[in-house]
Amino acid sequence: MHRTLADDLSRLPELLQSARDLAAREATGLAERTVVRFDEAPGRDPLPAEGSGGQGALARFAERWAPGFSGSAGPRYLGFVTGGATPASVAGDWLTSAYDQNVSGSGGSWAAALERETVVWLRELFGLGEEHSGAFVTGATVSNTVGLAVAREWLGERLGVDVSREGAAALGPVDVLSGSPHSSITKAMSVLGIGRDRLRRVPVLPGNREAVDVPALEDALAALEGRPAIVVANAGTVNTVDFDDLRAVAALKERYDFWLHVDAAFGGFAALSPAYAHLVDGLDAADSVCVDLHKWLNVPYDAAVQFTRRRDLQVRVFHNASPYLGLPTGDPDFLHLTPENSRRLRALPAWFSLVAYGRAGHREIVERNIALAGRLGEHLTALDGLRLLAPVRLNVVCFTLAENPTEERVDALARTVASSGETFLTPTVYGGVPALRAAFSNWRTSEADVERVLTALAAARVR
Ligand SMILES: *Cc1c(COP(=O)(O)O)cnc(C)c1O
């Protein structure tokens, strides 16, 4: 064994303790850390020839790289929809690495059974029934890709084509209909050989909405003249957190032949709050569902779950068996269900957080974040020079400059706010207007944080 490896083996507890000390310092100081860093990263070092051992690596990291990391896990990083990591989920994540299980299958370990238990808990959390089976993947983009891959296989079943053998081309042109899809949907269409241009944008409701106009969707389906299609319904759009009427969309299945995929990446968490659960009414009727976990469940990157009612088709797409062994049956190993073959025990951080805080603890995070978004929205309207672009429907505040909101001026506002180190918001365009979004999804965020965000915005806006 190489000398530094042997040294580290003999002092493993001390190394883990040192890493713990650094992590503890960073995690407790997170709320006061500069939220984002835009200054340039250090130049590249040469590949170490001998290595300096775990303690050497830790010291080098702490000195050279750690100062440039963002406070994205902290309470005032409101860009994208980011979320943080609950204390228990961080503990679970560390142990995932320490145990280093390969959850491709069940071989010789209970780890796969733990993933199955976690998926069943999540299914219940989001109000899905037993018909839905699921698996962990790395994020909502992959979850959407898996859902659309199963949808593509279903189209083959309807058209008498075995897509997994003959390829997507054997289907001919595929129609994917959606009102306000996330960009990951067209990415998935590209990956799956459906093609980005096959997205059929369906009109959304009038009156500052992003939810699909269901009669318009019905017209679009009728125009297909019986050709089966894929409908992507959106439960929580990124700009204004609007929700398609999932029940009404699902009801169209009685008359039209389509696969219903629901992108509920973060909107799915509305199910945790009785006051907002109606927004995801009908989610269970979906053929496939995407929910992100590194966002509003507040587990570390990277984690999402995908659900589907047609595990048989999922196995046709993803099975990794020798052709003469045939398709796996019963409760297939995860390697037959997801794009990955070897897989990390991504379920453990989620399992830890659900055991530690339960449904009630996670509901409190969701409801507090919604209340804080409402509070920021209210106080923003009282600030001169800013205006809301849409009502605050859930956890995202979409706003812009009251006067002359050009892209240049809005970007300048975003940069000034970010350079304060106090908060980070991401630019967007909503209804053709350059805007900013403040997305609340972090378990640490408090009313005092909203005050600090307002102060930073007030200071930046007058410059
Ligand atoms: C964030 C998001 C995605 C993509 O999620 P990743 O985890 O970044 O892959 C997809 N859909 C919606 C609605 C999202 O908010």
Side-chain angles (χ1 to χ4, degrees):
M1 193 183 284
H2 188 272
R3 177 180 49 80
T4 48
L5 268 175
D7 277 0
D8 273 2
L9 178 59
S10 67
R11 287 201 295 265
L12 185 59
E14 290 85 346
L15 175 60
L16 294 181
Q17 185 62 39
S18 302
R20 187 219 77 101
D21 292 346
L22 174 62
R25 217 163 40 241
E26 292 290 336
T28 42
L30 202 47
E32 295 315 316
R33 188 188 180 95
T34 294
V35 176
V36 277
R37 298 284 305 250
F38 291 113
D39 39 340
E40 204 167 330
R44 291 184 192 142
D45 270 351
L47 171 70
E50 286 296 327
S52 49
Q55 295 286 5
L58 193 62
R60 190 85 181 112
F61 167 73
E63 173 241 329
R64 186 158 174 264
W65 289 105
F69 277 23
S70 76
S72 59
R76 290 182 311 286
Y77 185 100
L78 307 179
F80 311 101
V81 179
T82 298
T86 61
S89 75
V90 173
D93 199 59
W94 286 0
L95 293 174
T96 303
S97 293
Y99 281 96
D100 194 22
Q101 303 287 287
N102 183 354
V103 207
S104 60
S106 321
S109 171
W110 292 355
L114 182 144
E115 177 165 339
R116 290 203 171 89
E117 174 172 88
T118 314
V119 168
V120 166
W121 289 352
L122 291 167
R123 178 172 77 189
E124 191 180 327
L125 197 68
F126 301 121
L128 299 175
E130 289 186 3
E131 298 275 290
H132 278 280
S133 64
F136 272 73
V137 290
T138 50
T141 300
V142 176
S143 179
N144 279 329
T145 304
V146 171
L148 294 190
V150 183
R152 188 187 60 178
E153 200 65 22
W154 173 85
L155 286 174
E157 183 179 76
R158 304 300 295 157
L159 299 170
V161 172
D162 184 340
V163 179
S164 80
R165 290 180 172 280
E166 296 171 51
L171 285 174
V174 169
D175 296 290
V176 179
L177 288 67
S178 190
S180 305
H182 186 264
S183 53
S184 59
I185 295 298
T186 41
K187 176 168 172 167
M189 291 166 68
S190 163
V191 169
L192 294 168
I194 292 172
R196 295 176 192 263
D197 290 352
R198 297 306 301 173
L199 177 69
R200 301 281 166 258
R201 292 292 287 241
V202 180
V204 294
L205 291 172
N208 205 357
R209 296 291 304 274
E210 291 188 292
V212 74
D213 180 2
V214 178
L217 175 60
E218 173 156 18
D219 290 347
L221 287 164
L224 299 176
E225 298 179 330
R227 206 146 42 94
I230 300 170
V231 171
V232 175
N234 302 293
T237 55
V238 287
N239 276 339
T240 71
V241 201
D242 211 344
F243 289 75
D244 289 354
D245 182 341
L246 300 179
R247 248 188 217 303
V249 172
L252 294 174
K253 286 181 116 193
E254 284 164 24
R255 272 164 291 150
Y256 304 94
D257 205 16
F258 63 91
W259 178 274
L260 176 56
H261 175 78
V262 179
D263 180 356
F266 68 97
F269 284 83
L272 275 67
S273 170
Y276 295 93
H278 65 275
L279 294 169
V280 286
D281 239 17
L283 185 65
D284 184 48
D287 297 297
S288 51
V289 176
C290 152
V291 190
D292 230 335
L293 302 175
H294 50 221
K295 289 177 179 164
W296 227 350
L297 192 69
N298 278 268
V299 298
Y301 289 99
D302 45 18
V305 62
Q306 59 76 216
F307 294 104
T308 178
R309 291 172 163 273
R310 289 296 305 273
R311 189 146 73 174
D312 58 327
L313 297 179
Q314 183 170 5
V315 168
R316 281 225 307 248
V317 179
F318 293 103
H319 82 101
N320 190 4
S322 151
Y324 10 83
L325 293 179
L327 293 179
T329 51
D331 214 358
D333 283 339
F334 286 111
L335 83 162
H336 301 304
L337 297 172
T338 59
E340 304 85 7
N341 189 60
S342 294
R343 301 163 73 247
R344 175 180 178 78
L345 181 55
R346 217 163 251 119
L348 194 55
W351 186 94
F352 260 72
S353 206
L354 291 170
V355 170
Y357 315 115
R359 185 194 282 274
H362 281 280
R363 168 183 168 183
E364 192 276 333
I365 296 172
V366 168
E367 291 181 336
R368 174 158 42 90
N369 286 159
I370 295 171
L372 293 173
R375 193 180 167 87
L376 179 68
E378 234 171 76
H379 287 74
L380 255 182
T381 31
L383 279 184
D384 277 349
L386 299 177
R387 69 182 169 96
L388 291 184
L389 273 181
V392 180
R393 295 197 178 93
L394 206 69
N395 60 327
V396 175
V397 184
C398 186
F399 65 98
T400 193
L401 290 161
E403 273 161 42
N404 196 20
T406 59
E407 191 180 326
E408 202 182 5
R409 278 168 43 84
V410 172
D411 281 356
L413 175 65
R415 267 197 313 277
T416 310
V417 170
S419 65
S420 74
E422 279 286 284
T423 185
F424 178 63
L425 314 170
T426 30
T428 188
V429 176
Y430 176 66
V433 183
L436 290 176
R437 300 165 58 259
F440 290 79
S441 56
N442 188 294
W443 66 281
R444 291 176 182 250
T445 315
S446 68
E447 283 188 13
D449 291 310
V450 172
E451 293 308 316
R452 286 175 67 167
V453 170
L454 279 163
T455 305
L457 274 171
R461 146 207 73 127
V462 294
R463 283 201 203 143

